[in-house]
Amino acid sequence: MEYAVIFLPLLGSIVTYFAKSIGTLFSQIFSCSMIFLSAVLSCFIFYEGIINKTYGNYLIFEWINSGNFIVNWSINIDPLSSIMIVIVTSVSALVHIYSVGYMSKDPHKPRFMSYLSLFTFSMLCLVVSDNFLQLFFGWEGVGLCSYLLIGFWFKRETANNAAIKAFLVNRVGDFGLAIGIFLIFLFFGTVNFNEVFLLVPEFTQTNFNFFGGEFNIITLICVFLFIGAMGKSAQFFLHTWLPDAMEGPTPVSALIHAATMVTAGVFLIVKCSPIFEYSQFALNLIAIIGMITAIFAASIALVQNDIKKIIAYSTCSQLGYMFFATGVGAYHIAMFHLFTHAFFKALLFLGAGSVIHAFHDEQDITKMGGVWKKIPYTMILMLIGTLALTGFPFLSGFYSKDAIIEFAYLKNSVTGNYVSSVGILTAFLTAIYSWRLFFKTFFGDYNNKTIPINKTHESPLIMIIPLIILAIGALIAGYIFKELFIGNTSSFWGDSILFLEFIKLENIPLWLILITPVLILIAIPISYYLFIINKNILEGVKNSNLPLYKFLLNKWYIDDIYNYIFIEPLKKLGLFFWKKGDLNTIDRYGPDGISKLIKFISNKAVQFQSGYIYDYAFVMLIGLSALITYLILN
């Protein structure tokens, strides 16, 4: 069963890709069936783990055997990986089904479905790995698949640029992860998780000379592992690829943002909690970057107009929550938020796809509005996703997001206090931009001048059904699984997460329990007034040329800074080497020079082909003279 969960998506990808000639319908049915079956089996594994604690390591084959260095290709099922396979396969199955309707007019549906299945397989390889090398294989696999899917519509220049950007930015993070793995092998002599985690306490006082400085080896490993996580999970400094990834089809956005690629970084930190727990510096760094990411992305989402980019920045912000949760030691709560986030974020992305479908590929929310009666099902489902994202009381996001803030406060440390404060502020900003998106999309005046309102239409049933299932998860998943994942008496996590200091969620001040829900409720009428009733207030702010608005609209100028520091100088350097190196040196004296020389010689030689005997006799005489000279000299 464990083998089937992992390899059914791979089978679906291969068969779907190479069976294109059989027909589009077959490719869609087969790929959806394989993922759906994998999702059912993963739920069964998760259930068996809860009830009977049936976890284990299932060998596929021995990968590397060199002396004492042994690395297997295995399927490691523990509480942490069992949750991840449920999230990955379940969301992927719904995205596959949704894609049948969303991509119905695309001529390359089999290739798209194949890429989705391959993406799922790569992520599954990552989360069930029992060593760092297998994890790195899945890590690079999701990076490759993201490139293929983001750039799926490769005839669009913007899609190609976005795919390249995602690939290159992730290479920066992946380089950090690779260095971390090299250091682990150098000092521990193994890359198997269990063996490494057992050896960590022995190296807590070991220093290493790195570029002329003495660093604690555990801290150094943690920092490089975190750099890898920053790239995949789009944390501040390495976040720039994520909004541009919206150039891919909407189902891709949902799969990348809700269940696969961006959650890999959080999973890595939680998986390596037995290492991170011994480096307070690394944990503080994670918390700081997570806080910056949360507030940074939420502030930018306030002024964006592309419906998918608003949700993309929302993902970036929620990942910040997960990271600063791990930074204060709340690994289990970070995973709980990852779990609930998968439902409502997939719901929002696929709901956005339904809106885009209704508006004939329009994505600008300023060109929407007033269509709640035309697409009522999409509106209701997007409402549920919005409520869950904002942390509305008793929906999934409420339980997981508030738990992060409460745990950080109970940590009673400088970092914990900052984390709880930033978490509360970000929750308020999240509510503002979320309701802005919702109200401007469905309410107010109809603002589209190119598409008559009677041309907008509800999505087909095959797109609505996945939204309904995700909406159910967004409504009840937090309540159902709260005690299992973060309950004070729960023993679910077992040895899959290490807590050197476990803090119970108890004796929480009443003001802390109430402050976030109150702010969220206040944000609803504020948003409705500013974005629907009296738009002149914000229009006046925009037209006043305030630096803050421009600052947010230009995404804190991070892309411009990177462009100035890295992109333009590298372009100029590349242009210099291309012209001076390739064209004027290598090509001039290499293939071009040789070809010109041969052409010159051949042109001269042709002149002897005159048809006169005395020309041929002259050539023969020169040849005979050359031969005699050679024989005499030797």
Side-chain angles (χ1 to χ4, degrees), residues 58 99 162 192 227 359 407 494 503:
Y58 305 89
S99 299
N192 295 313
I227 291 172
F359 278 91
F407 187 98
I503 298 175

Side-chain angles (χ1 to χ4, degrees), residues 577-610:
F577 280 116
W578 172 56
K579 287 187 175 180
K580 299 296 183 180
D582 281 6
L583 293 180
N584 295 338
T585 305
I586 297 174
D587 289 348
R588 182 179 180 183
Y589 297 106
D592 290 349
I594 294 172
S595 63
K596 286 180 180 178
L597 179 62
I598 292 173
K599 186 177 181 181
F600 174 78
I601 294 172
S602 64
N603 287 337
K604 294 298 181 182
V606 164
Q607 295 177 7
F608 291 105
Q609 304 293 324
S610 63

Side-chain angles (χ1 to χ4, degrees), residues 27-48:
S27 67
Q28 292 174 324
I29 292 174
F30 189 80
S31 59
C32 290
S33 300
M34 292 298 100
I35 297 294
F36 180 77
L37 183 57
S38 179
V40 171
L41 294 175
S42 67
C43 291
F44 186 74
I45 291 171
F46 179 58
Y47 176 79
E48 282 293 303

Side-chain angles (χ1 to χ4, degrees), residues 359-370:
F359 278 91
H360 304 278
D361 297 327
E362 179 58 67
Q363 295 184 198
D364 190 339
I365 61 172
T366 63
K367 298 179 181 178
M368 299 178 185

Side-chain angles (χ1 to χ4, degrees), residues 200-354:
V200 168
E202 300 177 14
F203 289 86
T204 54
Q205 303 302 320
T206 303
N207 290 334
F208 177 63
N209 188 290
F210 189 77
F211 284 102
E214 286 290 326
F215 297 93
N216 179 269
I217 186 59
I218 300 300
T219 296
L220 204 58
I221 288 171
C222 289
V223 169
F224 280 113
L225 292 180
F226 176 54
I227 291 172
M230 285 176 64
K232 275 291 181 287
S233 293
Q235 293 300 284
F236 190 67
F237 293 126
L238 297 179
H239 68 278
T240 54
W241 67 270
L242 193 62
D244 291 2
M246 297 303 98
E247 289 295 334
T250 300
V252 174
S253 304
L255 191 56
I256 289 177
H257 288 241
T260 54
M261 187 167 171
V262 297
T263 63
V266 181
F267 170 80
L268 176 65
I269 302 298
V270 176
K271 182 72 177 178
C272 295
S273 59
I275 305 177
F276 282 90
E277 278 291 276
Y278 290 94
S279 176
Q280 190 58 48
F281 174 84
L283 290 176
N284 289 340
L285 177 64
I286 294 170
I288 292 169
I289 295 296
M291 285 189 287
I292 295 172
T293 304
I295 198 78
F296 156 79
S299 65
I300 293 176
L302 291 170
V303 298
Q304 294 295 307
N305 291 321
D306 187 306
I307 188 170
K308 287 172 65 177
K309 285 192 176 182
I310 295 171
I311 304 174
Y313 278 110
S314 171
T315 299
C316 199
S317 181
Q318 296 304 306
L319 288 166
Y321 268 97
M322 298 175 207
F323 271 94
F324 65 59
T326 61
V328 295
Y331 305 103
H332 57 317
I333 304 178
M335 286 304 302
F336 183 40
H337 193 51
L338 187 154
F339 178 77
T340 60
H341 176 262
F343 290 105
F344 57 74
K345 191 48 61 70
L347 173 59
L348 286 170
F349 266 115
L350 297 184
S354 183

Side-chain angles (χ1 to χ4, degrees), residues 454-473:
N454 60 347
K455 293 291 184 180
T456 59
H457 56 84
E458 188 61 271
S459 298
L461 195 60
I462 199 167
M463 291 172 63
I464 295 296
I465 289 175
L467 294 177
I468 294 172
I469 297 172
L470 289 168
I472 294 171

